Amino acid sequence: MNLELLEKLTQTFGPSGYEDEIRAVIRAAVEPLADEIHVDPLGSLVALRKGTGGGKKIALAAHMDEIGLMATYVEEKGFVRFTVIGGGIRPGNGSRVRFANGVTGVIYVERRDDPSTQPELQHLYIDVGATSRADCPVAVGEPGQFIGPLVRQGQRLVSKTMDDRVGCYVLIEVLGQLKDAPHDVYAIFSTQEEIGLVGARTTAFRVDPDIAISIDVTATGDLPKALPMAVELGKGPAIKVKDGGMIAHAMVRDMLVEAAKQAGVPYQMEILLGGTTDAAAMQLVRSGVPSGCLSIPCRFIHSPSEMVDEADIHNAVKLLLTALRTCE
Amino acid sequence: MSYTRNETLITTLQTLADLTGISGDETKIRSAIKPLVEHHVDTLRIDALGNLITYKRGTAEKPLRVLVTAHMDEVGFMVVGHTGEGGLRVEAVGSIPERLLPGSHVWVGKEHTPGVVGVQAIHRAHGNHQAASVEDLIIDIGAKNKEEAQEAAPLGTSITFATRFREMGAALTGKAFDDRAGCAILVALLQGERLPCDLYGVFTVQEEVGLRGARVAAYAVESDVGFALEGTLIDDLPKREKDVSPTTELGKGPAITVMDRSYTTPPRLLSHVLKSAEAEGIPYQIKQPGVSSTEAGSIHPARGGVPAITIAVPCRYIHSPRALLHPDDLENTLRLVRAAIARLTPETLAIA
């Protein structure tokens, strides 16, 4: 496990639409591993690893962008109001943010007459240490990321933005270890997934693959009073059957199951009720692409402390490498 | 800062705002725009959904392809039923604030048959101040019974606010400034001198019901970059509370979108537009991020991806019977859009 790389990936700035920094980090990591590198107009990075011949065009996509926030208004006293980038985000009291210009702030909720209800976004503000609008170091339109360092706790890894930098990590590992596959492998590090699967859609249109597989995190059903769901942390990568945005192509799904068996890695079948991944967009480009998804089980998704299990990461890499070698 | 009023631009706005064209029924607007631009462009066509797609060749040797959209459609209503008393049951087309509807004057159908949105007499309201939902409203066209109402306004008939353009102090007011303001600017842009880039000016349909026209236009045009011209909201009057964002402000220049609910402007395109404004001395403002959806959100995901940005004329009271804008903002939006497009180079869009 290259913890240094995973730390770099999870901590680097890159809210949806602002992926320049994370793309530079990933580019440096994949440049020695790829035959060709492209960056498309919406910023997705495509690393092409040519096959030995006679194979398919296989797109593997992990998204570079992270959820975040953006300053929408600076009050007279210098407090910053904000909106979120991406969905399903509930910043908690005292959580910290880092803006693109390096300024750090603390999120807090204003006093409310009825504190028993969940605060709305408009009740939250960010203190960036300013005393007035004039000396506020953050301007309207400045994007920010949540702060959450990487911590290892036994087999578990906790950090901000495991969604989906852990997918990027898996993809980089696959590129690094891939040998002698017949297929042309297009590793897509996509942009703007969290705001509507935009980057993967447009990049898949350009790549025009025969098969597309996204690598992303998925929720788990193993938490107190969790929504019933078969996926558990540490029980192996999850092979998507369906989620809120797509039904995995049966051929791709079965191919991944077959690869898991051949590789001898544990796996789980995933049915996710809400949410979706880049695969949902990729399967609908042009005249349609058989698509599936390999998921890394993850707890506390879209919080600054997303938790994954190290074994699931290793096993996802093994599974994908086997799939690329054996799939026909 | 104040400029000589651009009378041509204002007249175009007046002409277009006074015409009716709810989403899906944009024929009158398209027919009015066509003669205004056809002698200034190289080609012009109408696509399957009703978008008016114009092309004006660029002067550069290898011109960039630039898509500029403005939507022709406006919010309004459609007749979905008739009551025994001769009232029209309607559904909203696009989002309309229900609380301001009772008592509004409307135009029904192609002939602008006058109508009024029914309102319960205050004497009988019994303290019920809740706004009725659109489904519970009726529109009264003076029909005596169901048959007369069906005859005058069959199912599917379009309805808009009955508002004529007029000036109010220094401001211009009228209905449908969202997005006839954008249409007027795009007309002026096409009427102006050739630019270095290949300009695809598209007057789109069905924006208010899901950014639909721009989606297929962006696919067809296959541009390198897109600009969506809009009339956007000002939230400063009446003031809700002190020290909150007004979203945009009147008279402070074109509103530039960093991010809205439909897309995020690529930073390099945003900085290009800001630099263009600064270089030309054009005032501008940053629109409150995260508010509303625009056609840039449909242009972005077209084909292999098209960087796009929304630039808008700030308007008070949009989606209501009478919006209000400042002529300087109209003129400055035209100047900014023109300057930003003229200054585009392949390097502007380059990404590493």
Coordinates of all heavy atoms in Angstrom, one line a residue, chain A residues 52-139:
Chain A
T52 N -1.8 -5.5 -26.3 CA -0.9 -6.2 -27.2 C -1.5 -6.5 -28.5 O -0.9 -7.1 -29.4 CB -0.5 -7.5 -26.5 OG1 -1.7 -8.2 -26.0 CG2 0.4 -7.3 -25.3
G53 N -2.8 -6.2 -28.7 CA -3.5 -6.3 -29.9 C -4.6 -7.3 -29.9 O -4.6 -8.2 -29.0
G54 N -5.6 -7.1 -30.7 CA -6.7 -8.0 -30.8 C -7.8 -7.8 -29.7 O -8.7 -8.6 -29.6
G55 N -7.6 -6.8 -28.9 CA -8.5 -6.7 -27.7 C -9.5 -5.6 -28.0 O -9.7 -5.1 -29.1
K56 N -10.2 -5.2 -26.9 CA -11.3 -4.2 -26.9 C -10.7 -2.9 -26.4 O -9.6 -2.8 -25.9 CB -12.4 -4.6 -26.0 CG -13.0 -6.0 -26.3 CD -14.2 -5.8 -27.1 CE -14.9 -7.2 -27.4 NZ -15.5 -7.2 -28.7
K57 N -11.6 -1.8 -26.6 CA -11.3 -0.5 -26.0 C -12.1 -0.5 -24.7 O -13.3 -0.5 -24.6 CB -11.9 0.6 -26.9 CG -10.9 1.1 -27.9 CD -11.7 2.0 -28.9 CE -11.5 3.4 -28.6 NZ -12.0 4.3 -29.7
I58 N -11.3 -0.6 -23.6 CA -11.9 -0.6 -22.3 C -11.7 0.7 -21.5 O -10.5 1.1 -21.4 CB -11.4 -1.8 -21.4 CG1 -11.8 -3.1 -22.2 CG2 -12.0 -1.8 -20.0 CD1 -11.4 -4.4 -21.5
A59 N -12.7 1.3 -21.1 CA -12.6 2.6 -20.3 C -12.8 2.2 -18.9 O -13.8 1.6 -18.5 CB -13.6 3.6 -20.8
L60 N -11.8 2.7 -18.0 CA -11.9 2.6 -16.6 C -12.0 4.0 -16.1 O -11.0 4.8 -16.4 CB -10.8 1.8 -16.0 CG -10.5 0.4 -16.5 CD1 -9.3 -0.2 -15.8 CD2 -11.7 -0.5 -16.1
A61 N -13.0 4.3 -15.3 CA -13.1 5.7 -14.9 C -13.2 5.9 -13.4 O -14.0 5.2 -12.7 CB -14.3 6.4 -15.5
A62 N -12.4 6.8 -12.9 CA -12.5 7.2 -11.5 C -12.5 8.7 -11.5 O -11.8 9.3 -12.3 CB -11.3 6.7 -10.7
H63 N -13.3 9.3 -10.6 CA -13.4 10.8 -10.7 C -12.5 11.5 -9.8 O -12.2 11.1 -8.6 CB -14.9 11.3 -10.5 CG -15.5 11.1 -9.2 ND1 -15.4 12.0 -8.2 CD2 -16.3 10.1 -8.7 CE1 -16.1 11.6 -7.2 NE2 -16.6 10.4 -7.4
M64 N -11.9 12.5 -10.3 CA -10.9 13.3 -9.6 C -11.5 14.3 -8.7 O -10.9 14.8 -7.7 CB -10.0 14.1 -10.5 CG -9.2 13.4 -11.5 SD -8.1 14.5 -12.4 CE -9.2 15.3 -13.5
D65 N -12.7 14.8 -9.0 CA -13.3 15.9 -8.3 C -13.8 15.5 -6.9 O -14.1 14.3 -6.7 CB -14.4 16.6 -9.1 CG -15.6 15.6 -9.4 OD1 -15.3 14.5 -9.9 OD2 -16.7 16.0 -9.1
E66 N -13.9 16.4 -6.0 CA -14.4 16.2 -4.7 C -15.6 17.1 -4.4 O -15.7 18.1 -5.1 CB -13.3 16.4 -3.7 CG -12.8 17.8 -3.6 CD -11.7 18.0 -2.6 OE1 -11.8 17.5 -1.5 OE2 -10.7 18.7 -2.9
I67 N -16.4 16.8 -3.5 CA -17.4 17.7 -3.0 C -16.7 18.9 -2.4 O -15.5 18.8 -2.0 CB -18.4 17.1 -2.0 CG1 -17.6 16.5 -0.8 CG2 -19.2 16.0 -2.6 CD1 -18.4 16.2 0.4
G68 N -17.4 20.0 -2.3 CA -16.7 21.2 -1.7 C -17.8 22.2 -1.4 O -19.0 21.9 -1.3
L69 N -17.3 23.5 -1.4 CA -18.3 24.6 -1.2 C -17.7 25.8 -1.9 O -16.6 25.8 -2.4 CB -18.5 24.8 0.3 CG -17.2 24.9 1.2 CD1 -16.5 26.3 1.0 CD2 -17.6 24.7 2.6
M70 N -18.6 26.8 -1.9 CA -18.2 28.1 -2.6 C -18.8 29.2 -1.9 O -20.0 29.2 -1.5 CB -18.7 28.1 -4.0 CG -18.3 29.3 -4.8 SD -18.8 29.3 -6.5 CE -17.6 28.2 -7.2
A71 N -18.0 30.3 -1.7 CA -18.4 31.5 -1.0 C -19.5 32.2 -1.9 O -19.3 32.3 -3.1 CB -17.3 32.4 -0.8
T72 N -20.6 32.6 -1.3 CA -21.7 33.2 -2.0 C -21.9 34.7 -1.6 O -22.5 35.4 -2.3 CB -23.0 32.5 -1.8 OG1 -23.3 32.4 -0.4 CG2 -23.0 31.1 -2.4
Y73 N -21.4 35.0 -0.4 CA -21.7 36.4 0.1 C -20.8 36.6 1.3 O -20.5 35.7 2.1 CB -23.1 36.5 0.6 CG -23.5 37.9 1.0 CD1 -23.6 38.9 0.2 CD2 -23.9 38.1 2.4 CE1 -23.9 40.2 0.6 CE2 -24.2 39.3 2.8 CZ -24.3 40.4 1.9 OH -24.6 41.7 2.4
V74 N -20.3 37.8 1.4 CA -19.5 38.2 2.6 C -20.3 39.3 3.3 O -20.6 40.3 2.8 CB -18.1 38.8 2.1 CG1 -17.3 39.2 3.4 CG2 -17.3 37.8 1.3
E75 N -20.5 39.0 4.6 CA -21.3 39.9 5.4 C -20.5 41.1 5.9 O -19.3 41.1 5.8 CB -21.9 39.1 6.7 CG -22.9 38.1 6.3 CD -23.5 37.4 7.5 OE1 -23.1 37.8 8.7 OE2 -24.4 36.6 7.3
E76 N -21.2 42.1 6.4 CA -20.5 43.3 6.8 C -19.4 43.0 7.8 O -18.4 43.6 7.8 CB -21.5 44.3 7.4 CG -22.4 45.0 6.4 CD -23.6 45.6 6.9 OE1 -23.7 45.8 8.2 OE2 -24.5 46.0 6.1
K77 N -19.7 42.0 8.7 CA -18.7 41.7 9.7 C -17.6 40.7 9.3 O -16.8 40.2 10.0 CB -19.4 41.1 11.0 CG -20.4 42.0 11.6 CD -19.8 42.8 12.7 CE -21.0 43.5 13.5 NZ -20.5 44.5 14.4
G78 N -17.7 40.4 8.0 CA -16.6 39.5 7.4 C -16.9 38.0 7.5 O -16.1 37.2 7.1
F79 N -18.1 37.6 7.9 CA -18.5 36.2 7.9 C -18.9 35.8 6.5 O -19.5 36.6 5.8 CB -19.6 35.9 8.9 CG -19.2 36.1 10.3 CD1 -19.7 37.2 11.0 CD2 -18.4 35.2 10.9 CE1 -19.3 37.4 12.3 CE2 -18.0 35.4 12.2 CZ -18.4 36.5 12.9
V80 N -18.5 34.6 6.1 CA -18.7 34.2 4.7 C -19.9 33.2 4.7 O -20.0 32.2 5.4 CB -17.5 33.5 4.2 CG1 -17.7 32.9 2.8 CG2 -16.3 34.4 4.2
R81 N -20.9 33.5 3.8 CA -22.0 32.6 3.5 C -21.6 31.7 2.3 O -20.8 32.2 1.5 CB -23.3 33.3 3.3 CG -23.7 34.2 4.4 CD -24.2 33.3 5.6 NE -24.6 34.1 6.7 CZ -25.4 33.6 7.7 NH1 -25.9 32.4 7.7 NH2 -25.6 34.4 8.8
F82 N -22.1 30.6 2.2 CA -21.6 29.7 1.2 C -22.7 28.7 0.6 O -23.8 28.6 1.3 CB -20.4 28.8 1.7 CG -20.8 27.9 2.8 CD1 -21.1 26.6 2.6 CD2 -20.9 28.4 4.1 CE1 -21.4 25.7 3.6 CE2 -21.3 27.5 5.1 CZ -21.5 26.2 4.9
T83 N -22.4 28.1 -0.5 CA -23.3 27.1 -1.0 C -22.4 25.8 -1.2 O -21.1 26.0 -1.1 CB -23.9 27.5 -2.3 OG1 -24.9 26.4 -2.7 CG2 -22.9 27.6 -3.5
V84 N -23.0 24.7 -1.4 CA -22.1 23.5 -1.6 C -21.9 23.1 -3.0 O -22.7 23.5 -3.9 CB -22.8 22.3 -0.8 CG1 -22.7 22.5 0.7 CG2 -24.2 22.1 -1.3
I85 N -20.8 22.5 -3.3 CA -20.5 21.9 -4.6 C -20.8 20.4 -4.5 O -20.0 19.7 -3.7 CB -19.1 22.2 -5.0 CG1 -18.9 23.7 -5.1 CG2 -18.8 21.5 -6.3 CD1 -17.4 24.1 -5.4
G86 N -21.8 19.9 -5.1 CA -22.1 18.5 -5.0 C -23.3 18.3 -4.0 O -23.7 19.3 -3.4
G87 N -23.8 17.1 -4.0 CA -25.0 16.9 -3.2 C -24.8 16.1 -1.9 O -23.7 15.6 -1.7
G88 N -25.8 16.1 -1.1 CA -25.8 15.2 0.1 C -24.7 15.7 1.2 O -24.2 14.8 1.9
I89 N -24.4 16.9 1.2 CA -23.4 17.4 2.1 C -24.0 18.1 3.3 O -24.9 19.0 3.1 CB -22.4 18.4 1.4 CG1 -21.9 17.8 0.1 CG2 -21.3 18.8 2.3 CD1 -21.3 18.8 -0.8
R90 N -23.7 17.7 4.5 CA -24.2 18.4 5.7 C -23.0 18.8 6.6 O -22.7 18.1 7.5 CB -25.2 17.5 6.5 CG -26.5 17.3 5.8 CD -27.5 16.6 6.7 NE -28.7 16.3 6.1 CZ -29.7 17.3 6.0 NH1 -29.5 18.5 6.5 NH2 -30.8 17.0 5.4
P91 N -22.4 20.0 6.3 CA -21.3 20.3 7.1 C -21.6 20.5 8.6 O -22.7 21.1 8.9 CB -20.8 21.7 6.6 CG -21.6 21.8 5.3 CD -22.8 21.0 5.4
G92 N -20.9 19.9 9.5 CA -21.1 20.0 10.9 C -20.5 21.2 11.5 O -19.5 21.7 11.0
N93 N -21.0 21.5 12.7 CA -20.4 22.6 13.5 C -18.9 22.3 13.7 O -18.6 21.3 14.2 CB -21.1 22.7 14.8 CG -22.2 23.7 14.8 OD1 -22.4 24.4 13.8 ND2 -22.9 23.8 15.9
G94 N -18.1 23.3 13.4 CA -16.7 23.2 13.7 C -15.9 22.5 12.7 O -14.7 22.4 12.8
S95 N -16.6 22.0 11.6 CA -15.8 21.4 10.5 C -15.0 22.5 9.8 O -15.4 23.7 9.8 CB -16.6 20.6 9.6 OG -17.7 21.3 9.1
R96 N -13.9 22.2 9.3 CA -13.0 23.2 8.7 C -12.9 23.1 7.2 O -13.1 22.0 6.6 CB -11.6 23.0 9.3 CG -11.5 23.3 10.7 CD -10.1 23.2 11.2 NE -10.1 23.0 12.7 CZ -9.0 23.0 13.4 NH1 -7.9 23.1 12.8 NH2 -9.2 22.8 14.7
V97 N -12.7 24.2 6.6 CA -12.6 24.3 5.1 C -11.3 25.0 4.7 O -10.8 25.8 5.5 CB -13.8 25.0 4.5 CG1 -15.0 24.3 4.8 CG2 -13.9 26.5 4.9
R98 N -10.8 24.7 3.6 CA -9.7 25.4 3.0 C -10.1 25.9 1.6 O -10.6 25.1 0.8 CB -8.5 24.5 2.9 CG -7.2 25.2 2.5 CD -6.0 24.2 2.3 NE -5.6 23.6 3.5 CZ -5.8 22.3 3.8 NH1 -6.3 21.5 2.8 NH2 -5.5 21.7 4.9
F99 N -10.0 27.2 1.4 CA -10.3 27.8 0.2 C -9.2 27.6 -0.8 O -8.0 27.4 -0.5 CB -10.7 29.2 0.3 CG -12.1 29.4 1.0 CD1 -12.2 29.6 2.3 CD2 -13.2 29.4 0.2 CE1 -13.5 29.7 2.9 CE2 -14.5 29.5 0.7 CZ -14.6 29.7 2.1
A100 N -9.5 27.8 -2.1 CA -8.5 27.7 -3.2 C -7.3 28.6 -2.9 O -6.2 28.2 -3.3 CB -9.1 28.0 -4.5
N101 N -7.5 29.7 -2.3 CA -6.4 30.7 -2.1 C -5.6 30.4 -0.8 O -4.8 31.2 -0.4 CB -6.9 32.1 -2.1 CG -7.9 32.4 -1.0 OD1 -8.2 31.5 -0.2 ND2 -8.5 33.6 -1.0
G102 N -6.0 29.2 -0.2 CA -5.2 28.8 1.0 C -5.8 29.2 2.3 O -5.3 28.8 3.4
V103 N -6.8 30.1 2.3 CA -7.4 30.6 3.5 C -8.2 29.4 4.2 O -8.9 28.7 3.5 CB -8.3 31.8 3.3 CG1 -9.2 32.1 4.5 CG2 -7.5 32.9 2.8
T104 N -8.0 29.3 5.5 CA -8.8 28.2 6.3 C -9.9 28.9 7.0 O -9.8 30.0 7.5 CB -7.8 27.5 7.2 OG1 -6.8 26.9 6.5 CG2 -8.6 26.5 8.1
G105 N -11.0 28.2 7.1 CA -12.2 28.8 7.8 C -12.9 27.7 8.7 O -12.7 26.5 8.4
V106 N -13.7 28.1 9.6 CA -14.4 27.2 10.5 C -15.9 27.4 10.2 O -16.4 28.6 10.1 CB -14.2 27.6 12.0 CG1 -15.0 26.6 12.8 CG2 -12.7 27.4 12.3
I107 N -16.6 26.3 10.0 CA -18.0 26.4 9.7 C -18.8 26.3 11.0 O -18.5 25.5 11.9 CB -18.5 25.2 8.8 CG1 -17.8 25.3 7.5 CG2 -20.0 25.2 8.6 CD1 -18.2 24.2 6.5
Y108 N -19.8 27.2 11.2 CA -20.6 27.1 12.4 C -22.0 27.5 12.0 O -22.3 28.0 10.9 CB -20.0 28.1 13.5 CG -20.2 27.4 14.9 CD1 -19.4 26.4 15.3 CD2 -21.3 27.8 15.7 CE1 -19.6 25.8 16.5 CE2 -21.5 27.2 16.9 CZ -20.6 26.2 17.3 OH -20.8 25.6 18.6
V109 N -22.9 27.2 12.9 CA -24.3 27.5 12.7 C -24.8 28.7 13.5 O -24.4 28.8 14.7 CB -25.2 26.3 12.9 CG1 -25.1 25.9 14.4 CG2 -26.7 26.5 12.5
E110 N -25.6 29.6 12.9 CA -26.0 30.8 13.6 C -27.1 30.3 14.7 O -27.7 29.3 14.6 CB -26.6 31.8 12.7 CG -27.8 31.2 11.9 CD -28.3 32.2 10.8 OE1 -27.5 33.0 10.3 OE2 -29.5 32.1 10.5
R111 N -27.3 31.1 15.7 CA -28.2 30.8 16.7 C -29.6 30.8 16.1 O -30.0 31.7 15.3 CB -28.2 31.8 17.9 CG -29.0 31.4 19.1 CD -29.0 32.5 20.1 NE -29.7 33.7 19.6 CZ -31.0 33.8 19.5 NH1 -31.8 32.8 19.9 NH2 -31.6 34.9 19.0
R112 N -30.4 29.8 16.4 CA -31.8 29.7 15.8 C -32.8 29.6 16.9 O -32.5 29.1 18.0 CB -31.9 28.5 14.9 CG -31.0 28.7 13.6 CD -31.0 27.4 12.8 NE -30.6 26.3 13.6 CZ -31.1 25.1 13.5 NH1 -32.0 24.8 12.6 NH2 -30.6 24.1 14.2
D113 N -34.0 30.1 16.7 CA -35.1 30.1 17.7 C -35.4 28.6 18.0 O -35.7 28.3 19.1 CB -36.3 30.9 17.2 CG -36.0 32.4 17.1 OD1 -35.1 32.8 17.8 OD2 -36.6 33.1 16.3
D114 N -35.4 27.8 17.0 CA -35.7 26.4 17.2 C -34.6 25.5 16.8 O -34.5 25.1 15.6 CB -37.0 26.0 16.3 CG -37.3 24.6 16.5 OD1 -36.8 23.9 17.4 OD2 -38.2 24.1 15.7
P115 N -33.7 25.2 17.7 CA -32.5 24.5 17.3 C -32.7 23.0 17.2 O -31.8 22.2 17.0 CB -31.5 24.8 18.5 CG -32.4 25.1 19.7 CD -33.7 25.6 19.1
S116 N -34.0 22.5 17.4 CA -34.2 21.1 17.3 C -34.2 20.5 15.9 O -34.0 19.4 15.7 CB -35.6 20.8 18.0 OG -36.6 21.3 17.2
T117 N -34.4 21.4 14.9 CA -34.4 20.9 13.5 C -33.0 21.0 12.9 O -32.2 21.8 13.4 CB -35.4 21.8 12.7 OG1 -35.0 23.2 12.8 CG2 -36.8 21.7 13.1
Q118 N -32.8 20.3 11.9 CA -31.5 20.3 11.2 C -31.4 21.7 10.5 O -32.3 22.1 9.9 CB -31.6 19.2 10.1 CG -30.3 19.0 9.3 CD -29.4 18.0 10.0 OE1 -29.8 17.3 11.0 NE2 -28.2 17.9 9.6
P119 N -30.2 22.3 10.7 CA -30.1 23.6 10.1 C -30.0 23.5 8.6 O -29.5 22.6 8.0 CB -28.7 24.2 10.7 CG -28.0 23.0 11.2 CD -29.1 21.9 11.5
E120 N -30.5 24.6 7.9 CA -30.4 24.6 6.5 C -29.1 25.3 6.2 O -28.5 26.0 7.0 CB -31.5 25.5 5.9 CG -32.9 25.1 6.3 CD -33.6 24.2 5.4 OE1 -33.1 24.0 4.2 OE2 -34.6 23.5 5.7
L121 N -28.7 25.2 4.9 CA -27.5 25.8 4.4 C -27.4 27.3 4.8 O -26.3 27.8 5.1 CB -27.3 25.6 2.9 CG -26.0 25.5 2.3 CD1 -25.1 24.6 3.1 CD2 -26.1 25.1 0.9
Q122 N -28.5 28.0 4.7 CA -28.5 29.4 4.9 C -28.3 29.8 6.4 O -28.1 31.0 6.7 CB -29.8 30.1 4.4 CG -31.0 29.9 5.3 CD -32.1 29.2 4.5 OE1 -31.9 28.4 3.6 NE2 -33.4 29.6 4.9
H123 N -28.3 28.8 7.2 CA -28.1 29.1 8.7 C -26.6 28.9 9.0 O -26.2 29.2 10.1 CB -28.9 28.1 9.5 CG -30.4 28.3 9.4 ND1 -31.2 27.2 9.1 CD2 -31.2 29.4 9.4 CE1 -32.4 27.6 8.9 NE2 -32.5 28.9 9.2
L124 N -25.8 28.5 8.1 CA -24.4 28.2 8.3 C -23.6 29.4 7.8 O -23.9 30.0 6.8 CB -24.0 26.9 7.6 CG -24.7 25.6 8.0 CD1 -24.2 24.5 7.2 CD2 -24.6 25.4 9.5
Y125 N -22.4 29.6 8.4 CA -21.5 30.6 7.9 C -20.1 30.1 8.2 O -19.9 29.1 8.9 CB -21.7 31.9 8.6 CG -21.6 31.9 10.1 CD1 -20.4 32.0 10.8 CD2 -22.7 31.7 10.9 CE1 -20.3 31.9 12.2 CE2 -22.6 31.6 12.3 CZ -21.4 31.8 12.9 OH -21.3 31.7 14.3
I126 N -19.1 30.8 7.6 CA -17.7 30.4 7.8 C -17.0 31.6 8.4 O -17.1 32.7 7.9 CB -17.1 30.0 6.4 CG1 -17.8 28.8 5.8 CG2 -15.6 29.6 6.7 CD1 -17.3 28.5 4.4
D127 N -16.2 31.3 9.4 CA -15.4 32.3 10.0 C -14.0 32.2 9.5 O -13.4 31.1 9.7 CB -15.4 32.2 11.5 CG -14.7 33.3 12.3 OD1 -13.8 33.9 11.7 OD2 -15.0 33.5 13.5
V128 N -13.5 33.1 8.7 CA -12.2 33.0 8.1 C -11.2 34.0 8.8 O -10.2 34.3 8.3 CB -12.2 33.3 6.6 CG1 -12.8 32.2 5.9 CG2 -12.8 34.6 6.3
G129 N -11.6 34.4 10.0 CA -10.7 35.3 10.8 C -10.8 36.8 10.4 O -10.0 37.6 10.9
A130 N -11.8 37.1 9.6 CA -12.0 38.5 9.2 C -12.8 39.3 10.2 O -13.5 38.7 11.0 CB -12.7 38.6 7.8
T131 N -12.6 40.6 10.2 CA -13.4 41.4 11.1 C -14.4 42.3 10.3 O -15.3 42.9 10.9 CB -12.5 42.3 12.0 OG1 -11.7 43.1 11.1 CG2 -11.6 41.5 12.9
S132 N -14.2 42.4 9.1 CA -15.1 43.2 8.2 C -15.1 42.7 6.8 O -14.3 41.9 6.4 CB -14.7 44.7 8.3 OG -13.5 44.8 7.5
R133 N -16.1 43.2 6.0 CA -16.1 42.8 4.6 C -14.9 43.2 3.9 O -14.3 42.5 3.1 CB -17.4 43.4 4.0 CG -17.6 43.0 2.5 CD -18.8 43.7 2.0 NE -20.0 43.1 2.5 CZ -21.2 43.8 2.6 NH1 -21.3 45.0 2.0 NH2 -22.3 43.2 3.1
A134 N -14.4 44.4 4.3 CA -13.2 44.9 3.7 C -11.9 44.1 3.9 O -11.1 43.9 3.0 CB -12.9 46.4 4.2
D135 N -11.8 43.5 5.1 CA -10.5 42.7 5.3 C -10.8 41.2 5.1 O -9.9 40.4 5.5 CB -9.9 43.0 6.6 CG -10.6 42.4 7.8 OD1 -11.6 41.7 7.6 OD2 -10.2 42.7 9.0
C136 N -11.9 40.8 4.6 CA -12.2 39.4 4.4 C -11.3 38.8 3.2 O -11.3 39.4 2.1 CB -13.6 39.1 4.1 SG -14.0 37.4 3.8
P137 N -10.5 37.8 3.5 CA -9.6 37.3 2.5 C -10.3 36.4 1.4 O -9.6 35.9 0.6 CB -8.6 36.5 3.3 CG -9.3 36.0 4.5 CD -10.4 37.1 4.8
V138 N -11.6 36.2 1.6 CA -12.3 35.3 0.6 C -13.3 36.1 -0.1 O -14.1 36.9 0.5 CB -13.0 34.2 1.4 CG1 -13.9 33.4 0.5 CG2 -11.9 33.3 2.0
A139 N -13.3 36.0 -1.5 CA -14.3 36.7 -2.3 C -15.4 35.8 -2.8 O -15.2 34.6 -2.8 CB -13.6 37.3 -3.5

